[in-house]
Amino acid sequence: MKIARFSRIGFILAAAGSAVGLGNIWKFPYIAGIYGGGAFVMVYLLTVLFIGFSVMVAEMLIGYMGRKDTVTSFEELAPKNSALWKLGGFQGFTGLLIMTFYSVVIGWIFNYIITSVIYLPATVKEAESTFNTMLKSGFFTQLFYHTIAFIWITYVVNKGIKGGIEKMNMILMPSLVIILSAMFLYATTLDSFGKAVEFMFAPDWSKINSEAFVVAVGHAFFTLSLGMGAIMTYSASLPKDANIVKNTLWVVFLDTAIAIVAGLMLFTFLYQYGAGPAKGPGLVFISLPAAFYEMGILGNIFAVLFFIALAFAGLTSSVSLVEPMVQYFIDRFNWSRLKASISMGLFFYLIGIVVILSNIDGFKESLTWGSKNLFDWIDFTTAAIMLPFGGLVMSIFVGFVVEKQRVESIMRPQLGFAFDAWYFSLRYIVPVSMFVVMLNLIGVI
């Protein structure tokens, strides 16, 4: 089945929507807080430039050259051992597995949009109690919003590249930028904005160690939506005359800019109302609502807008996590888009219900193995093993397997004198970095 083509701006917004997710607005600020702000930001920007950029160009190239689903693209581009290399295309399953808990988190955000209209916790302790009540005993609340997320995502994916994914991103991505920009502009008027800028850009090198570097590499990879087949699948729908390098630069710029703007905004609010930056994963759901409370009625408005923006970021990423396997079943088994969309949607929805139960008192004991429950195991497995491995496979595939003259014929005109540096990075720097990240995340080093 012929894949529909993105418009130029549609592709950039869709790819940026895939990259700009919960990792930018939720995860990046608290990681920066843990690892000393400016020093981590500088390391992160370097890893995005030298590793993230290289891998994204490679992933776009595979999709652009293959023009099919991820499995078929690997299979057709491999000059030999295609039956083995097509296994690399199953990285698309990683995105679907991520969706089993990602949809649940989007459900939490939907819940916070509604509750923020009328209620904000007065203290961090109260905010923590509210969040834990929802997490540990609010099964039906989580199920309700998880169901809404499933319906929305499945509907958009079923509408296809042009009518669903591109159309949604053309609306949600500009809306996300407008909301964050408005909140950022307000943050610049507060006394604590200067302190937030200093924290984000004045490096404290004492906080930087090998672990911080590994975290920066891993997060750059995660936040750019690499190693899960999403960018590859979208790139199969690029116009024939598309410039891969320019598209990559736009996506990297938007992704990084939104992460930095979100960080500056959140740290300004937290400093203004007496909270510290290094609050861990609970920063958005615990520390921030308590800070919004201190603003009075304006805090309710900002809380609703912030969680709407967070929901937009999550939804634009979600459709890209489902689309690779949908396109796989369309191409390989001639399924209709409706059948593939509903089947993949039900996969993450039904497992997502079990994921919710893994946090619920009375059920979590039987869904916990070792120190992690099912939610944590899926998060850990995808982030620590599957995503870095996907990047490792792609870099080796483009760097060593696909004929160099094919790669060079497309990329040298676009990269110019930088082609050799990019190709070297893809063959040596990226594989070593990904291998080290994997060993660190699984606890070997």
Side-chain angles (χ1 to χ4, degrees), residues 37-170:
F40 177 84
V41 170
M42 291 180 69
V43 172
Y44 169 77
L45 292 176
L46 288 173
T47 58
V48 166
L49 180 63
F50 291 106
I51 297 176
F53 173 81
S54 296
V55 176
M56 180 169 281
V57 169
E59 184 164 349
M60 279 195 192
L61 182 63
I62 295 172
Y64 177 80
M65 294 172 69
R67 296 284 168 180
K68 296 286 180 63
D69 64 274
T70 54
V71 175
T72 305
S73 291
F74 268 92
E75 189 175 40
E76 293 188 355
L77 291 176
K80 55 184 179 180
N81 298 320
S82 61
L84 174 65
W85 278 107
K86 76 177 182 180
L87 297 177
F90 283 102
Q91 62 185 259
F93 180 71
T94 303
L96 201 59
L97 197 57
I98 290 172
M99 274 304 302
T100 62
F101 70 85
Y102 206 78
S103 177
V104 173
V105 177
I106 292 173
W108 297 350
I109 297 165
F110 285 166
N111 180 41
Y112 270 68
I113 293 173
I114 302 302
T115 58
S116 294
V117 174
I118 55 175
Y119 167 77
L120 285 173
T123 64
V124 170
K125 185 176 181 180
E126 184 181 342
E128 186 173 9
S129 175
T130 300
F131 178 73
N132 285 333
T133 297
M134 178 199 71
L135 184 68
K136 297 179 180 180
S137 59
F139 171 75
F140 290 105
T141 297
Q142 293 184 74
L143 178 62
F144 174 74
Y145 289 111
H146 172 55
T147 302
I148 292 177
F150 153 71
I151 293 171
W152 177 307
I153 293 160
T154 303
Y155 173 79
V156 171
V157 172
N158 176 58
K159 297 296 286 186
I161 291 292
K162 295 291 290 185
I165 295 171
E166 179 173 319
K167 188 174 181 179
M168 184 189 77
N169 279 284
M170 292 284 278

Side-chain angles (χ1 to χ4, degrees), residues 141-221:
T141 297
Q142 293 184 74
L143 178 62
F144 174 74
Y145 289 111
H146 172 55
T147 302
I148 292 177
F150 153 71
I151 293 171
W152 177 307
I153 293 160
T154 303
Y155 173 79
V156 171
V157 172
N158 176 58
K159 297 296 286 186
I161 291 292
K162 295 291 290 185
I165 295 171
E166 179 173 319
K167 188 174 181 179
M168 184 189 77
N169 279 284
M170 292 284 278
I171 297 170
L172 295 194
M173 280 303 293
S175 300
L176 167 64
V177 171
I178 290 170
I179 291 171
L180 288 181
S181 296
M183 295 181 70
F184 174 76
L185 287 174
Y186 174 78
T188 63
T189 68
L190 299 177
D191 295 337
S192 57
F193 181 72
K195 190 173 181 180
V197 171
E198 182 181 356
F199 177 78
M200 285 283 287
F201 297 109
D204 178 4
W205 295 110
S206 67
K207 297 284 185 72
I208 290 295
N209 51 27
S210 59
E211 178 183 310
F213 173 77
V214 169
V215 169
V217 173
H219 184 66
F221 209 73

